[in-house]
Structure formats: C-alpha cells, structure tokens
Amino acid sequence: MSNGLSNSSVGRKVLMALSGFFLLFFLMQHFVINLFSVISADLFNEISHFMGTNGLIQFVLQPILIFGFLFHLAMGMYLERKNSAARPIKYAMDKPSENSNWMSRNMLITGIMVMLFLGLHFYDFWLPEIKTKFIEGDWSGLNNGEFRYWEELHHKFQDIIRVSIYCVAFIFLGLHLSHGFQSAFQSAGFNHNKYTPIIKKLATLYAIIIPFGFIFIALFHYFTQN
Amino acid sequence: MDLTLKVWRQKNREEKGGLETYKVTGISEHASFLEMLDIMNEQLIKEGTEPVAFDYDCREGICGTCSLYINGEAHGPDRKVTTCQLHMRMFKDGETIYIEPWRSAAMPVIKDLIVDRSSFDRIQQSGGFVSVNTSGNTQDANALPIPKMNADLAFDAAACIGCGACVATCKNSSAMLFVAAKVSQFAYLPQGQVEAKQRVLNMVEQMDKEGFGNCTNTGACEVECPKSISIKYIAKMNREFLSASCSSES
Ligand code: HEM
Ligand code: SF4
Ligand code: FES
C-alpha cells in the first residue's frame, strides 16, 4: 500500500512534525542546562558530568538525538525538493508576502543556517568530548584535579568572532522555530478553535526566549572573561 | 482606464510559451476582469491577432472555472472572490498587469491561460463520493440526527468550488486545502462514515500520484481561497489520514 506513514505526503509531514517536536524538546533541556552555567559553575559541572558519563544518555539517547537531527534534515531536504519539482515553471510576477510570512516560506534556508552552525558547534564541543572520552579513554571529566566542563565552555566564548556566529545562528534558529513550533501541531492534525491561538502564542514565546536565552548565555561568558 | 497587460501566450501543451504585451484603453472601472479580457480579445481580433484563450463558465463566482494569476496573486488583489467577480476598480489607471495561468506540474497549461485541472477530477473520482442509494427510498431528512456543529463544518467544507487557487498560490503547489475540503465534507457527516477510511487513503494517494507538493503550513491557500476554506480542514484530513493508516484493514 503506498499510503503509509513514510511514503505519503501527509505521513511524511507527520514524521517531520514528530522529529520537530523531538528537537524542540531536546533544545529546551539543552537550554535549561546551559542556563546553569550562568547561575553556578559547580552545578553546571555536576550536570555536565552526569550527562557526559551516564550510559543511558551517552549510548541510547545521544544516538537517537543524532538520528533525529539527520532524519529532520534529510526529510526537510527531500520535501523541499519534491515541492520545488511540483512547480517547474515559476511565476513571472509573484507576491507571496501578500498571503504568508517569510518564516513559513523559508524553512529550508533557516534550517540550513542552523545546520551550518551545528557544524561549528560539533567542532567546538562534541568532537573534543569524543576525543577525550573515546580516543584518550578519559571519562573522569577532570582537568588538573577539577571538573573541566565549565572552564572549557567559558574559554570557548572569549573569541568575539565565535560569539558573533553563535548569536547570528540563534536568530536563524528563532526564525525557524517561530514557524516550526506551531506548524508541527497543524501537521500532526492538531487544530483547535481555543487551543491553536494559545499554541501560536507559546510558539512565539519559545522562539524568542530560547534563542535569545542562548544569545544571553554566550554574551554572558564573553563579557565575564578574566 | 488605460492598462498595459502582460499576458502568457502558449500555443499548446508541448510548446514553450512567453509573456506578450498588449495595451487596452477606455476600460470602465465597473467592468469585471473577464469583461476587460473580452475587450482585449475584440481588439486583438480586429488587429488580426489570435485572441487569448482563458477559462470561464458561470461568471458569477460559483463554478470555479475562471482562474488566472493576476499581478502575483491567485484571482488578483481582491480577497474572497474569483476572477469573474474581480472588478477593474481594484487597479489603477496606467497600471501594468501580469496575467499568468496557474502554475503546477499537476495542472499543465493547455493553451494560453487555460490549464488542465483533470488532476482534481481524478482525486475526486478516487474517493470524493458516497455510495448511498438516493433514488426511490429517500428517507426523511430528520430521521438522521446530525449535530449542528458538524453540519456547519461539513457545509463550510462543501463550499469548495475546485478552482485550484490554493494550488496556484501555494509555494509548493500543494493541493491539500482542496483535498482536505473534499475529505472533510463527508468526514463530518454520518453518510460519509461507511467509506471514510478508504476515502482519505485513496484521495491522498491520488493527490501524491498527480505530483502536487507537500504542505508547509504557510497558510497562503486559505487567504487566497475564494470560499475561505480554513486550513483547520487540513488538520482534520491529517487526523483522518493518521487514524485510517493506523487502523485500516485493507
Ligand atoms: C539541522 C538543521 C535543520 C534543517 C535543515 C531543518 C529544516 C526544516 C525544514 C525544511 C522544515 C519544513 C519542512 C516542511 O514543512 O515541509 C522544518 C520544519 C521544522 N523544524 Fe527544522 N530544520 C533544522 C533544525 C531544526 C531544529 C534545531 C529544530 C528545533 C529545535 C527544528 C524544528 C522544526 C520544527 C518544529 C518544524 C515544523 C515541522 C512541521 O512543519 O511539521 N528544526 N525544518
Ligand atoms: S479550497 Fe478554495 S482555493 Fe482550493 S479549490 Fe477549493 S475553493 Fe478553490
Ligand atoms: S466563471 Fe464561474 S466562478 Fe468565475
């Protein structure tokens, strides 16, 4: 049957929405943990050590997360390719801004900007972690007898260029989420006279608070270097 | 009013078309857009040029035949109207107006401004009906209680005239608003329950086969739809599809 979940337009959109929800949830917990780096270095170290060494998180949840990102990326590209093939001849005169907003029309662009940023982010934090833990075999989380996590994070944000790239990337993420958050509900079939307007407000809040929160964290570390 | 028109001309399905420029003068602002095109065609005939082919039937906003992407918008700059109900007072004297056919791989141009919308027919044929016998044994309408809300929802969905503005407007050429309206008008009524599962599966399958794109929830379709079909019906279709594909016995 060619109308199952993964091989129909509606099914693929539902999968896109589910991967979107998953990433939204991940981003939220990532944000909360990072926020601790502003509040208390010790607490941040404790949590980071737990996240970095817990077997369930490292060997079950982390692969799921990577799969979730790759799936979201691949499905997003696939859908966009189909979508542009659905209109081989474009209009000579088109005014899309008369009936829709920029964010909703440019999910691929904002998404790819996020992906590019993730390349840098992996290089900054993920690859060093992999190197320390899996290649050097050091799971202690220690450097000179003290937890290294907060120091490493803080150190990364002394470079103004890196901080700027992070800030710009989060603006793209905010644009992506301002449409994505509420769009995922609609794709999953959720549309309610009373709750949909509330979801749209929550989406706006999420798309402002989380990206700007991350920007705040990056700037905080930049300006508190000694 | 004097206007400059940039009109898409194309001999047939196969040949590549292009925009031609025509000037029309002395158009009344009370004229409808189609009347303006009639005047343009008379002028072209007098000049010995082949008139521009465009679609229409009722000219009163109920059949959905007139189409046209006018100045970058389906059915032109007005809201909740078809092109036959669009008036020239929406334009300024001396304006240049682009007139193009619907653009979609699933709705190819046949000639000039006329597109082949039989993909919509095939979607309808795949499930947009109820197989109840309506002749001879008609029962009393009140024998089948239907909640007022469901009746209204089905009625609003049934207002879709199959014009294709949703497809033309959507950046992905998605037909989801049309298909959602056709699925929902039955899904909200008891008469539609018998074939409900197979209907949504078949109609979505046919929609995909025709080569329409995927919905990105931009909401452009509901803004340009002359019958104000809401995208809440797309969510309804998605729910119907999900429950059908999770439980269908076939
Ligand atoms: C890896 C880089 C990313 C790319 C290339 C990407 C791409 C896309 C694309 C193209 C869409 C629209 C798909 C469609 O409507 O057909 C989309 C939707 C979405 N994205 Fe992303 N995205 C990325 C990262 C993220 C991240 C980090 C999050 C959340 C933390 C996210 C959350 C969402 C959500 C919630 C949707 C809406 C799903 C829907 O409309 O049903 N995306 N993404
Ligand atoms: S949903 Fe609206 S725009 Fe689409 S075909 Fe029906 S009436 Fe036309
Ligand atoms: S000609 Fe029938 S709706 Fe315009």
Side-chain angles (χ1 to χ4, degrees):
Chain A
M1 200 170 68
S2 68
N3 38 26
L5 268 192
S6 61
N7 49 15
S8 73
S9 53
V10 175
R12 290 194 194 100
K13 279 300 304 190
V14 172
L15 293 177
M16 193 72 196
L18 292 181
S19 68
F21 278 134
F22 172 71
L23 294 179
L24 285 170
F25 180 76
F26 159 74
L27 196 69
M28 177 94 127
Q29 66 86 25
H30 194 333
F31 173 68
V32 171
I33 292 176
N34 282 19
L35 206 52
F36 282 109
S37 76
V38 170
I39 299 166
S40 149
D42 289 340
L43 207 50
F44 179 75
N45 277 331
E46 294 288 338
I47 302 171
S48 299
H49 189 64
F50 171 76
M51 298 294 285
T53 52
N54 182 283
L56 180 71
I57 292 172
Q58 284 297 306
F59 298 108
V60 182
L61 295 186
Q62 184 159 285
I64 294 179
L65 175 64
I66 292 171
F67 173 78
F69 261 113
L70 292 180
F71 178 86
H72 187 78
L73 172 74
M75 188 61 105
M77 307 261 245
Y78 176 81
L79 288 173
E80 288 282 337
R81 239 197 36 224
K82 286 213 128 191
N83 293 345
S84 85
R87 175 164 298 144
I89 303 173
K90 313 288 178 225
Y91 292 107
M93 170 61 83
D94 202 6
K95 292 186 186 147
S97 57
E98 291 291 326
N99 46 42
S100 59
N101 66 39
W102 188 91
M103 284 81 83
S104 71
R105 283 180 273 119
N106 292 283
M107 290 299 275
L108 188 67
I109 293 176
T110 52
I112 284 177
M113 295 307 282
V114 173
M115 197 67 203
L116 289 179
F117 158 77
L118 281 177
L120 173 69
H121 193 54
F122 267 45
Y123 172 79
D124 278 353
F125 292 100
W126 198 68
L127 288 183
E129 276 300 298
I130 295 292
K131 182 161 164 277
T132 311
K133 286 192 297 213
F134 292 93
I135 296 174
E136 293 165 5
D138 175 8
W139 287 74
S140 69
L142 300 175
N143 186 16
N144 299 330
E146 285 189 34
F147 271 144
R148 59 187 166 80
Y149 308 102
W150 192 88
E151 244 349 289
E152 284 176 358
L153 170 82
H154 192 66
H155 183 73
K156 279 275 179 317
F157 287 103
Q158 62 181 201
D159 178 3
I160 182 68
I161 295 176
R162 175 175 280 111
V163 172
S164 311
I165 295 177
Y166 271 67
C167 292
V168 172
F170 282 121
I171 290 176
F172 279 106
L173 180 66
L175 293 171
H176 193 74
L177 299 180
S178 71
H179 178 69
F181 189 109
Q182 48 98 8
S183 168
F185 281 88
Q186 166 83 5
S187 296
F190 190 97
N191 188 309
H192 191 283
N193 288 347
K194 195 160 100 203
Y195 299 122
T196 295
I198 299 176
I199 287 170
K200 287 194 176 164
K201 287 207 184 78
L202 278 180
T204 310
L205 275 182
Y206 185 104
I208 292 173
I209 292 178
I210 305 260
F212 281 91
F214 274 116
I215 290 178
F216 164 73
I217 295 169
L219 291 178
F220 173 85
H221 286 284
Y222 178 73
F223 285 111
T224 54
Q225 299 285 334
N226 36 34
Chain B
M1 301 169 82
D2 299 342
L3 301 160
T4 305
L5 307 175
K6 301 238 177 226
V7 186
W8 184 264
R9 307 278 340 230
Q10 183 171 337
K11 276 212 172 67
N12 51 40
R13 258 175 209 274
E14 288 75 33
E15 236 157 274
K16 256 185 78 177
L19 286 172
E20 292 285 340
T21 308
Y22 303 118
K23 290 209 185 287
V24 287
T25 50
I27 303 288
S28 156
E29 60 174 22
H30 304 301
S32 80
F33 200 84
L34 296 188
E35 283 162 349
M36 186 277 291
L37 288 180
D38 290 337
I39 295 171
M40 175 195 74
N41 270 345
E42 273 173 32
Q43 207 172 295
L44 289 180
I45 292 168
K46 274 192 202 130
E47 291 167 7
T49 312
E50 195 188 327
V52 176
F54 62 95
D55 247 340
Y56 62 87
D57 188 11
C58 72
R59 293 210 179 195
E60 53 186 2
I62 52 176
C63 74
T65 313
C66 58
S67 38
L68 304 188
Y69 211 70
I70 302 163
N71 262 358
E73 283 184 83
H75 296 138
D78 210 354
R79 291 283 172 262
K80 301 181 185 178
V81 295
T82 51
T83 296
C84 56
Q85 295 174 297
L86 176 68
H87 285 87
M88 295 314 294
R89 55 179 163 271
M90 294 301 294
F91 300 90
K92 285 192 287 291
D93 187 29
E95 199 171 336
T96 299
I97 306 176
Y98 282 78
I99 309 171
E100 298 175 76
W102 288 167
R103 294 290 187 202
S104 163
M107 292 182 173
V109 172
I110 304 171
K111 188 176 168 61
D112 294 341
L113 299 171
I114 300 182
V115 295
D116 178 357
R117 276 172 283 193
S118 59
S119 46
F120 268 16
D121 299 340
R122 288 186 292 275
I123 294 173
Q124 279 287 64
Q125 285 152 10
S126 73
F129 51 81
V130 281
S131 311
V132 285
N133 193 357
T134 50
S135 60
N137 53 356
T138 320
Q139 52 169 299
D140 183 73
N142 293 324
L144 200 59
I146 298 170
K148 171 86 167 81
M149 196 175 75
N150 286 13
D152 287 349
L153 285 166
F155 197 80
D156 285 351
C160 166
I161 51 178
C163 62
C166 42
V167 173
T169 296
C170 175
K171 79 173 186 64
N172 310 323
S173 277
S174 167
M176 294 225 184
L177 192 63
F178 167 76
V179 179
K182 298 303 176 195
V183 164
S184 303
Q185 65 184 4
F186 297 122
Y188 280 114
L189 296 178
Q191 291 91 335
Q193 296 315 307
V194 187
E195 294 140 313
K197 277 185 187 173
Q198 216 45 53
R199 172 179 303 114
V200 66
L201 294 177
N202 289 350
M203 290 182 86
V204 168
E205 186 179 358
Q206 189 62 36
M207 167 176 82
D208 293 348
K209 263 194 212 150
E210 298 290 347
F212 291 104
N214 307 275
C215 176
T216 314
N217 304 321
T218 67
C221 53
E222 70 175 1
V223 176
E224 298 292 346
C225 172
K227 300 296 159 187
S228 304
I229 307 288
S230 159
I231 57 168
K232 73 182 178 201
Y233 290 108
I234 298 182
K236 169 71 175 168
M237 172 177 73
N238 292 2
R239 291 198 296 278
E240 290 285 313
F241 180 88
L242 264 184
S243 82
S245 59
C246 291
S247 64
S248 184
E249 283 84 32
S250 65

